[in-house]
Amino acid sequence: LTADASRGGRRRGNDQYAPVPLSFDGFDNPAAAQRGGAAASPRAVCVAALFVAVTIWACAALYSAAVSPHRPGDVSSSAFTADPDPSMTGRRVVWLMSFPNSGTSYTGKVVRMSSHMSTATTYGLEGAVNNQTGENIPLREDSTEGPFLSGYSNDHPVAPKYVQTKTHCGGRCCRCGPDKYLETLDSFEKQCRTGKSYLPKEDRKDSKKTKSSTYRRDIVQRAIHLVRDPFDNIVSRFHLEFHSFASKNKTDFLERYPNSPEGFAAFCKDMDENKDFSAQESKSRFITEDLLELFKDVPCHGEFYKYIQWHNLAFETTDRMRLPTLLLHYEDYDTDLKGTVNRLLSFLELSWVGRNTPDFVKGKTY
């Protein structure tokens, strides 16, 4: 994984960049199998393991090299500069694609505070609701299945053209086995457009208030691909689980997995030794015997597999859909907040109003 590849591309003519997945020559995954890819060779598995498992030091050093400063003028990190449908009328969806706990909420706040415009979300349960009907408020009148407005108010109207839209896509569950987190390119892309939303009050029966909604592919015209240091990202997912159980006063979880390095280690150990997950890994045609052997020395190995699979499929999805894509690193907010906000707003064709941004608290690193 070179610094150029981590930035999403290899140099092409006219200073453009072709998307390069965060993959490792032959690393086996469902998307590759779907396209007829061969099983991973021992060498390829070892290369993959180098990223995931050899040592924390080696992986941290690799990521540090990958977050080199942006190239001047590197606004779009993909080979595509024109929207798939330049003549499209109405508001256009710009996916904010992120593996959970990569800085999604902060990026949403940045856009709303700096531009005074609202954002949107694939997930209606966190979106704006029509008080009369109980339904979510769709971004487009011709797409009632989503996405839905979020952060909408008189002070934050909807942008006239590009609207940043949150999505976590698929293959992101926590404390789950391969049966639930392995994805193909098709299933991953569909999950990028799918979430729960509220039913109209008149259609609610037997306490059922929600439904699954999948919106059309053609209204998605751009993407922002958000990336965070894999180790910090995965530890942050543990923190989210801890706070979720704390809010429900689940004392068994809190006592077994305290919010500390020791608690995180115990959490990883139990997931790694889970018999159901291990059985699913052994039966999966996407996880080779060589990889299973390497998993034995990797804390939270399933989480690292999800992380790599997710970013591979995110790159492949935006490439297949020919989406102009901005590759954004979470750490950029810490090293160059002003420049990062400028790049983000420029990509969305929004103005920076009042120079307001939320305070950025990087949090712990591990």
Side-chain angles (χ1 to χ4, degrees):
L1 175 63
T2 66
D4 276 356
S6 76
R7 280 329 224 179
R10 295 191 181 100
R11 183 173 291 279
R12 280 186 175 176
N14 300 322
D15 203 33
Q16 300 303 318
Y17 292 84
V20 177
L22 287 170
S23 59
F24 302 87
D25 189 23
F27 186 72
D28 197 19
N29 62 54
Q34 185 187 43
R35 296 188 304 275
S41 66
R43 184 181 77 78
V45 172
C46 287
V47 175
L50 193 65
F51 177 74
V52 177
V54 175
T55 63
I56 295 293
W57 176 85
C59 295
L62 179 64
Y63 185 81
S64 179
V67 293
S68 56
H70 290 287
R71 306 175 184 86
D74 184 17
V75 175
S76 178
S77 302
S78 75
F80 311 110
T81 56
D83 293 355
D85 183 7
S87 62
M88 178 180 175
T89 59
R91 295 181 173 91
R92 306 180 183 199
V93 171
V94 181
W95 272 341
L96 174 60
M97 306 175 74
S98 64
F99 193 63
N101 298 91
S102 298
T104 319
S105 298
Y106 182 79
T107 303
K109 289 180 181 178
V110 164
V111 170
R112 291 190 292 272
M113 285 186 65
S114 60
S115 70
H116 290 189
M117 293 290 178
S118 63
T119 53
T121 179
T122 300
Y123 311 107
L125 302 192
E126 59 187 31
V129 175
N130 183 312
N131 291 330
Q132 292 184 334
T133 66
E135 296 176 281
N136 290 109
I137 303 174
L139 173 64
R140 295 172 56 101
E141 291 183 0
D142 63 352
S143 183
T144 57
E145 295 300 300
F148 307 102
L149 293 179
S150 62
Y152 175 72
S153 68
N154 291 333
D155 295 330
H156 291 78
V158 187
K161 188 174 183 180
Y162 295 111
V163 181
Q164 179 177 280
T165 302
K166 172 182 174 180
T167 180
H168 290 311
C169 302
R172 55 187 167 83
C173 55
C174 193
R175 295 189 300 122
C176 62
D179 286 359
K180 291 187 177 180
Y181 68 69
L182 287 174
E183 297 278 356
T184 66
L185 184 56
D186 287 338
S187 66
F188 180 86
E189 185 270 321
K190 183 178 180 180
Q191 286 300 311
C192 293
R193 300 181 285 114
T194 301
K196 286 186 177 181
S197 62
Y198 287 110
L199 285 165
K201 292 178 181 178
E202 60 186 21
D203 293 339
R204 297 176 184 178
K205 298 178 181 179
D206 300 324
S207 301
K208 184 179 180 181
K209 298 181 179 180
T210 64
K211 64 176 181 176
S212 177
S213 300
T214 302
Y215 52 85
R216 308 192 320 263
R217 181 185 296 107
D218 65 288
I219 62 176
V220 183
Q221 295 289 303
R222 291 190 174 191
I224 300 162
H225 184 163
L226 185 59
V227 184
R228 186 178 184 181
D229 177 297
F231 300 102
D232 292 343
N233 199 165
I234 289 166
V235 172
S236 182
R237 278 164 64 82
F238 164 69
H239 289 325
L240 181 64
E241 285 290 291
F242 178 88
H243 291 302
S244 174
F245 278 91
S247 66
K248 300 172 185 176
N249 199 29
K250 300 288 186 179
T251 56
D252 290 347
F253 182 95
L254 305 180
E255 291 173 359
R256 186 172 183 83
Y257 311 119
N259 196 13
S260 66
E262 293 76 19
F264 175 64
F267 178 77
C268 288
K269 185 175 185 293
D270 283 356
M271 284 207 300
D272 294 336
E273 296 178 354
N274 183 290
K275 292 182 179 179
D276 290 337
F277 298 168
S278 297
Q280 292 172 27
E281 291 169 352
S282 298
K283 295 177 181 178
S284 173
R285 65 190 181 94
F286 303 120
I287 299 177
T288 66
E289 291 183 6
D290 290 331
L291 193 53
L292 283 173
E293 188 65 27
L294 292 168
F295 276 173
K296 293 179 180 179
D297 297 321
V298 184
C300 276
H301 63 262
E303 285 291 290
F304 283 102
Y305 191 104
K306 295 171 202 172
Y307 178 96
I308 295 173
Q309 174 191 242
W310 194 97
H311 286 289
N312 282 344
L313 292 174
F315 276 119
E316 292 180 70
T317 296
T318 56
D319 187 26
R320 184 171 73 168
M321 293 176 66
R322 303 184 66 82
L323 301 178
T325 302
L326 176 68
L327 186 62
L328 192 68
H329 283 75
Y330 175 77
E331 292 75 15
D332 292 346
Y333 289 124
D334 185 47
T335 58
D336 183 16
L337 179 60
K338 181 179 178 181
T340 302
V341 175
N342 271 323
R343 291 173 63 238
L344 182 59
L345 295 182
S346 176
F347 188 71
L348 294 167
E349 296 188 6
L350 295 174
S351 299
W352 196 340
V353 181
R355 297 285 158 177
N356 293 323
T357 56
D359 293 334
F360 178 71
V361 180
K362 184 178 180 180
K364 300 177 180 178
T365 56
Y366 295 84

